Amino acid sequence: RRPPQPPGDDLFAALVEDRMEEGRPLAARMRPRTLDEVVGQPRLLGPDGFLRRAIAEDRVPSMVLYGPPGTGKTTLARLVASSTRSVFEELSAVSAGLADVRAVMQRARDRLAAGTRTVLFLDEIHRFNRAQQDALLPAVEDGLVTLIGATTENPYYEVNAALVSRMRILVLEPLTDADVGGLVDRAVADPRGLAGRVRVAPDARGSLVARAGGDARYALNLLEAAAAGVPDGGGVGQDDVRHAAGGGRAVVYDREGDAHYDTISAFIKSMRASDPDAAVYYLAVMLQGGEDPKFIARRLIVQAAEDVGNADPRALEVAVAAARAVEFVGMPEARIPLAQATVYLALAPKSNAAYRAIGAAMDLVEREGARRPPLALRDASRPNARHLGHGAGYRYPHDHPDAVLPGSLLPEGLEGTRLYEATDRGLEARLWERLAELRRRAAAREADDRGGV
């Protein structure tokens, strides 16, 4: 509690607070003060939402708020503290150390002795190392603090399993266009924001919403920057938004985090599903986000063999050529051969027959061990190998009709095992026909042999 201050000091403090408020960014001034002012997250904050009910019943557990930037993680943490009569402490894992954590825990003990609880908000919780995360365990387990961690990375991968098991994982979704549009309208009309200062034209509003990509903070920061060049009472137009955005919307992309894995997954699955538009889009997201083009090229090579395969053997040549082109020319020109290969693979006929064949073969070897080849197929060139029977009975395929040997060449006990099953798609249809013909001939020979016995 502050000691009594002379009236002049109170007036000065209020003046300082007003000046600080005026200098705060628009996004900070418009931060929701109540749950009802929060937009989005209906699953958590709707009438039956988990977090709304937990706050109303004053039984908020320790939790991790997991979601992209600008979805309200810090806001929700502050509202939890203010709505549950708790003291709010905030640390950033980027700059805080063990000493800071221990200091918070000591203050929390002192408060709890006086009957007041503490909410510790830890931003970027995934950046705490294992020792720092372990230091939080006793306080969370004993209820000394209500820990609210915020992260843009998957907590199941980035946060200690022991800590995660003691916390609720709440997933925050990007805001919808309607949510972001409502925030822009509120900022223009609210006295805390730009009320009476500017108007926003419909096309400019649409541009703000589109560029935000579900990020409330970015939308409000961009609105503030666009309004800065407009005279009082003027209108913010689409050109103002474009100039304020500079190079356009920055791509949120972490080459070591969820964005990397989620985007490459979407890229691969779009090519597999023969959707070139989606595939090229995800390619652009990766390139704009700074992904290593060599990594993308390697994925294209794997994709060509795994999902196109022998339905179009040229797909592998195209992918390898694109990878070589990336090495020769580098970025930004490398985007062109990467796009060419992406479109080719997306539109190529698909077959995963070779992929399934090697998978089945490796499963068989793992399950039963590696059996030795038949004696006829073993190497007979080494000294004394022939004395061991190596090569005995070997049949030279070119001495037989169509250079095809009857019977199976698999190890003993595996004769007749089917590992490769061709599809009838693309060029693999020819292999499918040939495989069917070879099997028909093999069956006929076996029938003849049985009839001659």
Side-chain angles (χ1 to χ4, degrees), residues 165-178:
S165 69
R166 292 163 173 80
M167 305 175 72
R168 288 290 298 267
I169 307 299
L170 303 184
V171 179
L172 276 65
E173 302 293 340
L175 302 185
T176 66
D177 287 352

Side-chain angles (χ1 to χ4, degrees), residues 352-365 367 410-411 414 416-422 435 439:
N352 67 347
Y355 169 74
R356 287 187 289 109
I358 187 60
M362 294 188 75
D363 287 344
L364 179 59
V365 171
R367 186 171 63 250
L410 282 164
L414 297 179
T417 301
R418 300 286 185 250
L419 298 174
Y420 174 70
E421 294 292 345
L435 181 60
R439 287 176 177 171

